[in-house]
Amino acid sequence: MIALPLVAVVAVVAALRATFERNTARKLPYVNVLNFAIAASIVLLLDHPLSLVAAAAYFVGSTLEANAIASTYAGARNQ
Amino acid sequence: MLGELLYILAAAIITWLLFVSVDIFFRLPEKGGVSGASAVARDIQAAGGDIAGGNMMGNIVCSPDASAGTLLAACGVYVAGIPGGLIAAALVFIGNRICHDPGYAGTTGALLATFVVYGFTQVGFTATNFIAGTVIAILSIQGISHVHASRLLARLWRVRQ
Amino acid sequence: MIPALEIMFGFIALVGGVSAALILDYYGKLISLGILVAGVIPFIVDRGYLDVAITVSLIAPIATIFVLRVVRRADA
């Protein structure tokens, strides 16, 4: 019962910390925490077999996004 | 209410131990798997952290590793029992390949976590406790203090070496 | 979904949208758009549209990757 509000509070904290961090590469771990919290809340909101697929799709997609941002940022800084 | 909070805290400690030991066993702190992971590690080191712990945190950001496997396996057990956990392991494997990660840390973590979570549901825990516990555990590594978390991970990595 | 949860997830989406408008750095803008999508997804799931949630969560990162190629060209 308390699991979903707890996860939502973690998501809010992670979103605020990611917004107020200045360095791009150090934002990404906070965004990662946010993605974990949202993937967990997808499954906790709706108990259905497809919600596991939705959580996995959201998590893999957002990880791919973070991966692309980090590698482009690294490539731009090395030039 | 308070009892459930204690269960979530216990689940957080169990999942923390599980995925940190799997990640360190698969040598995630050794080097950044992709160039983005190395960039995260360098910036964490520039802020006063440790490069080995930074490498592991960068790898967690850039590819689904054992912590993602633990979360999705707990979700799978909550939705559909043991078969759900195995489906989650397959999805993590696909995610690893999409993100150009050659390792097997995520898949192994998901398979191990499936049986750990299922075992603990037999003794009073619920799978919900483990879902919230994994989020708390990843918050303690990636979301509180990068400097202290990377130093702690680097100390554990030196013990393994 | 209880109102407190709606307020929290809506707050995440608002933070993402406002910071996407205010942050000037390209990478910061893209990360803020990711936060915006993260706040929207729970509302889609709560209504039961799981197929829409799967599609949105796969299309949003692909759009970001295409924008990143433009950003790299603008940077260089």
Side-chain angles (χ1 to χ4, degrees):
Chain A
M1 198 56 212
I2 197 171
L4 186 51
L6 197 66
V7 167
V9 168
V10 171
V12 170
V13 170
L16 284 177
R17 292 206 68 170
T19 307
F20 289 110
E21 169 69 55
R22 291 298 181 87
N23 182 299
T24 300
R26 261 177 275 142
K27 273 179 189 240
L28 290 171
Y30 296 127
V31 176
N32 190 236
V33 177
L34 175 65
N35 293 335
F36 267 82
I38 297 295
S41 66
I42 288 175
V43 175
L44 291 176
L45 275 171
L46 200 59
D47 185 5
H48 185 273
L50 256 184
S51 57
L52 172 65
V53 180
Y58 175 73
F59 192 80
V60 171
S62 55
T63 306
L64 187 64
E65 182 180 343
N67 189 345
I69 290 177
S71 59
T72 312
Y73 175 71
R77 208 174 39 178
N78 286 338
Q79 277 174 2
Chain B
M1 192 81 159
L2 198 65
E4 199 179 353
L5 215 56
L6 287 177
Y7 272 118
I8 289 176
L9 210 60
I13 294 168
I14 293 163
T15 48
W16 198 95
L17 291 174
L18 179 76
F19 74 72
V20 168
S21 51
V22 171
D23 279 351
I24 288 185
F25 178 77
F26 276 92
R27 299 182 158 273
L28 255 68
E30 194 169 33
K31 62 179 188 333
V34 291
S35 63
S38 319
V40 175
R42 235 178 309 146
D43 279 15
I44 287 174
Q45 194 186 26
D50 192 290
I51 189 77
N55 272 329
M56 179 162 155
M57 289 163 71
N59 279 327
I60 292 177
V61 169
C62 288
S63 167
D65 76 316
S67 54
T70 310
L71 176 73
L72 291 177
C75 293
V77 171
Y78 174 61
V79 169
I82 289 258
L86 299 180
I87 293 169
L91 290 171
V92 170
F93 180 78
I94 296 170
N96 269 328
R97 289 303 161 274
I98 290 176
C99 291
H100 302 292
D101 177 19
Y104 287 92
T107 318
T108 314
L111 288 176
L112 268 178
T114 302
F115 294 106
V116 169
V117 172
Y118 186 76
F120 274 101
T121 53
Q122 304 298 314
V123 293
F125 284 81
T126 58
T128 331
N129 297 148
F130 275 89
I131 297 174
T134 315
V135 175
I136 303 290
I138 202 72
L139 175 74
S140 73
I141 286 188
Q142 305 262 50
I144 303 288
S145 162
H146 293 161
V147 174
H148 292 97
S150 65
R151 284 185 190 155
L152 174 66
L153 291 173
R155 201 173 302 152
L156 291 173
W157 169 236
R158 261 176 242 120
V159 170
R160 186 227 187 270
Q161 278 178 321
Chain C
M1 190 152 58
I2 58 176
L5 282 173
E6 291 188 343
I7 291 171
M8 282 196 264
F9 288 124
F11 180 71
I12 293 173
L14 267 179
V15 164
V18 171
S19 63
L22 294 183
I23 292 177
L24 296 177
D25 175 45
Y26 293 131
Y27 301 105
K29 267 190 203 294
L30 286 174
I31 290 173
S32 299
L33 283 180
I35 295 174
L36 170 66
V37 174
V40 169
I41 294 269
F43 289 98
I44 302 176
V45 171
D46 185 50
R47 266 59 168 183
Y49 301 127
L50 281 170
D51 46 353
V52 181
I54 293 171
T55 315
V56 168
S57 56
L58 288 178
I59 288 177
I62 294 173
T64 305
I65 288 170
F66 279 117
V67 177
L68 266 174
R69 312 182 91 175
V70 181
V71 168
R72 179 150 57 183
R73 205 171 301 156
D75 257 9

